[in-house]
Amino acid sequence: MSGAEEQVVYQQLIFRLQELSPQGRQWNLEIPEGLFGDAGFGEVDAPASLCKGVQWKGNVIAQGDFFGLQGKWSTELVRHCVRCNSEFALYMEGDCSRHFQLGVEPDADDAVECDSVAPPGSVNLLDLLREELWLAWKPMVVCSEACKGLCQQCGGNLNRHECKCSQHGSDHPFAALKNIRFNS
Ligand SMILES: [Zn+2]
Ligand SMILES: [Zn+2]
């Protein structure tokens, strides 16, 4: 996707609450990974590298004094497993629910948590999406719950091949028993 095409997609992601029609606004877009990670667009930092674009759909509608935004997103990110250190694609998805109010300080007693935005109420759906990804971010991830990790002695990836180390090493479950027998 060229810079000009990214610019077109980006323009669809910015709107003003004050200019919202009574029907509200719906979107159902794929945000290209290049645009998502481009620091030249938006102000929120993009988390890590994506394997593919982000599916991002939702709607925003005026609800009395405030604006309610509901959305859904999903994507895949390139991550490193904390056990075996392999690179893998992590699927992530989330639901987004926000409320905005125009130019008023949120009431502390308000049951609904509101983001206050100065008129005309600019909303940037790219930055909002990045925030949602950060909220869902897990610092420690494994490629699979069954991941066996690396051998502590030879450093081999135990998912790919079995090494002989654990059969002789001191971390063998019966190594301690051997010492007890010698001491008694
Ligand atoms: Zn792993
Ligand atoms: Zn080993």
Side-chain angles (χ1 to χ4, degrees), residues 81 84 143 147:
C81 173
C84 71
C143 62
C147 174

Side-chain angles (χ1 to χ4, degrees), residues 172 174-184:
H172 190 279
F174 297 115
L177 289 179
K178 197 163 65 185
N179 291 341
I180 290 167
R181 195 168 45 198
F182 271 66
N183 293 341
S184 57

Side-chain angles (χ1 to χ4, degrees), residues 118-137:
S122 287
V123 174
N124 184 328
L125 290 174
L126 178 65
D127 279 344
L128 202 99
L129 179 60
R130 287 170 176 164
E131 285 172 16
E132 290 295 317
L133 249 91
W134 279 124
L135 288 170
W137 185 259

Side-chain angles (χ1 to χ4, degrees), residues 106-121:
D107 188 343
D109 301 328
D110 205 331
V112 186
E113 208 178 303
C114 251
D115 291 337
S116 178
V117 280

Side-chain angles (χ1 to χ4, degrees), residues 62-180:
Q63 297 170 335
D65 287 343
F66 56 87
F67 299 86
L69 183 151
Q70 307 288 329
K72 253 184 188 307
W73 58 269
S74 65
T75 189
E76 277 177 23
L77 293 120
V78 183
R79 297 294 306 270
H80 278 91
C81 173
V82 290
R83 280 187 216 158
C84 71
N85 204 31
S86 302
E87 214 173 71
F88 71 103
L90 177 74
Y91 176 78
M92 285 179 83
E93 63 179 356
D95 294 318
C96 163
S97 177
R98 302 274 189 110
H99 292 89
F100 300 99
Q101 240 172 341
L102 271 182
V104 275
E105 283 305 312
D107 188 343
D109 301 328
D110 205 331
V112 186
E113 208 178 303
C114 251
D115 291 337
S116 178
V117 280
S122 287
V123 174
N124 184 328
L125 290 174
L126 178 65
D127 279 344
L128 202 99
L129 179 60
R130 287 170 176 164
E131 285 172 16
E132 290 295 317
L133 249 91
W134 279 124
L135 288 170
W137 185 259
K138 294 189 185 90
M140 312 274 270
V141 287
V142 288
C143 62
S144 139
E145 280 309 318
C147 174
K148 296 175 186 158
L150 302 176
C151 171
Q152 304 231 329
Q153 288 169 64
C154 71
N157 185 333
L158 297 173
N159 299 309
R160 293 189 195 140
H161 60 90
E162 255 176 57
C163 64
K164 302 268 190 273
C165 305
S166 60
Q167 291 171 23
H168 312 293
S170 57
D171 62 348
H172 190 279
F174 297 115
L177 289 179
K178 197 163 65 185
N179 291 341
I180 290 167

